[in-house]
Amino acid sequence: MKKIALITGASSGMGREFTRVIASKGKNLDEIWIVARRGRRLESIKETFGSKIIPIEADLTENSGFDVIEEKLTQEQPDIRILVNSAGMGVIGRFEELSIAENINMVKLNDVALTKITYMALPFMGRGAHIINMASGAAFLPQPKFAVYAASKSYVLSFSRALKEELKNEGICVTAVCPGPVKTEFFGIAEKHTHVAFYKKLVMASPSKVVARALADASASRELSVYGISMKLARVICKVLPHSLLIKLMNMFGK
Ligand SMILES: NC(=O)c1ccc[n+]([C@@H]2O[C@H](COP(=O)([O-])OP(=O)(O)OC[C@H]3O[C@@H](n4cnc5c(N)ncnc54)[C@H](OP(=O)(O)O)[C@@H]3O)[C@@H](O)[C@H]2O)c1
């Protein structure tokens, strides 16, 4: 039975970085299946990171996208050692300013797709396997002008923590990754209507640091991975101060 990693959102940003690191360190893996819509990008990642990489072109907001992955899983019956759910998107702006498609797509990709992929992958996972789910620091607090995105990431965090407990006896570990702003293509889409707040630009992390932290936390079987002092501090603040006050402050300083 071939041992594999399955990584969604691998064509850019943190998914690409997970692919790079797992390809260089995962000597025990036979293949690394990488999923995204931009097939050419996936092919060039295979050229760069090696022949173990298996590109799977799939849109995870469409049923046909899941069919491709399900068929491959059924055919090959792999042993999934690592699942990384990194496909995700966010659009900044007032709920009504965004189109209904933009609002719904955040839920479809960040929540429905992550849930479906996890459900499809679990029968192929066993003791010692890891699930790494990309949540966000936005999961810690409701965010006006990023309302659906923040809610979608709260779902990922809550789901991941509960699933970790459910899978404890099977020896499968689940880690939710909650970074603050990270320098990736994410903001190309996110800033379509409204720019990100200046204070978020000041604390942008590099994808390599966030991913290194996430993999270290997953290896240590931690339920949460929070990179950087500013986000660790933000998490504590969100725990101790009333959310109504923090939401008012966020509104004052912009998104
Ligand atoms: N960057 C940040 O500041 C930040 C902070 C906290 C959390 N996050 C989360 O971290 C994860 C990775 O984000 P990133 O910063 O690396 O963003 P990114 O560079 O924009 O990468 C997003 C990935 O998702 C894929 N994707 C988008 N729509 C898709 C669809 N319909 N079907 C399949 N794949 C799709 C994209 O590939 P294709 O376009 O080729 O399909 C791309 O590979 C996301 O879940 C994001 O919400 C990001």
Side-chain angles (χ1 to χ4, degrees):
M1 202 191 280
K2 65 172 78 147
K3 293 187 196 314
I4 71 154
L6 173 57
I7 304 171
T8 72
S11 63
S12 75
M14 287 179 272
R16 186 182 193 280
E17 179 62 14
F18 274 112
T19 305
R20 186 187 73 77
V21 178
I22 290 170
S24 73
K25 296 204 170 141
K27 307 282 179 231
N28 62 329
L29 294 171
D30 300 302
E31 289 180 357
I32 300 165
W33 297 6
I34 60 170
V35 181
R37 291 167 303 179
R38 287 171 290 179
R40 279 199 171 172
R41 283 270 192 112
L42 298 179
E43 289 297 341
S44 90
I45 286 172
K46 181 184 175 82
E47 278 162 29
T48 313
F49 299 144
S51 57
K52 279 187 185 179
I53 309 270
I54 309 292
I56 303 174
E57 195 177 321
D59 185 336
L60 297 180
T61 58
E62 300 288 340
N63 284 337
S64 56
F66 297 99
D67 294 344
V68 174
I69 299 166
E70 192 150 45
E71 259 170 43
K72 200 165 164 57
L73 287 170
T74 312
Q75 238 169 38
E76 306 206 17
Q77 300 282 315
D79 174 10
I80 303 177
R81 305 311 298 157
I82 310 171
L83 165 65
V84 181
N85 281 303
S86 192
M89 54 87 77
V91 185
I92 303 168
R94 286 170 55 87
F95 176 62
E96 285 179 288
E97 180 190 4
L98 272 54
S99 70
I100 188 64
E102 285 169 329
N103 279 311
I104 295 298
N105 273 341
M106 282 186 262
V107 180
K108 268 174 131 177
L109 185 62
N110 301 350
D111 299 334
V112 178
L114 178 141
T115 309
K116 269 185 158 179
I117 294 281
T118 305
Y119 195 83
M120 278 161 47
L122 268 174
F124 300 95
M125 301 183 88
R127 195 157 284 283
H130 289 273
I131 298 173
I132 299 176
N133 286 336
M134 289 307 299
S136 165
F140 300 149
L141 186 73
Q143 298 206 6
K145 299 197 194 123
F146 216 10
V148 173
Y149 180 77
S152 77
K153 292 301 183 178
S154 292
Y155 170 92
V156 176
L157 178 56
S158 171
F159 167 66
S160 304
R161 294 176 75 186
L163 189 64
K164 184 179 200 297
E165 191 58 28
E166 284 187 20
L167 296 176
K168 202 165 66 183
N169 292 339
E170 276 120 282
I172 300 170
C173 177
V174 185
T175 301
V177 184
C178 296
V182 186
K183 234 176 260 164
T184 67
E185 292 174 19
F186 180 85
F187 290 99
I189 295 168
E191 292 188 300
K192 186 177 159 195
H193 302 285
T194 308
H195 285 294
V196 68
F198 72 95
Y199 64 87
K200 289 198 173 174
K201 290 205 165 137
L202 298 177
V203 293
M204 285 263 178
S206 84
S208 59
K209 295 218 164 111
V210 174
V211 166
R213 178 76 266 150
L215 287 167
D217 286 330
S219 298
S221 299
R222 296 197 178 103
E223 69 168 11
L224 207 63
S225 179
V226 180
Y227 169 77
I229 196 75
S230 55
M231 278 322 288
K232 287 194 166 102
L233 190 64
R235 182 164 172 251
V236 174
I237 289 171
C238 290
K239 275 189 162 183
V240 297
L241 289 184
H243 283 189
S244 54
L245 171 68
L246 294 172
I247 289 168
K248 267 191 197 134
L249 287 173
M250 262 199 304
N251 245 346
M252 278 167 60
F253 290 107
K255 179 84 266 11

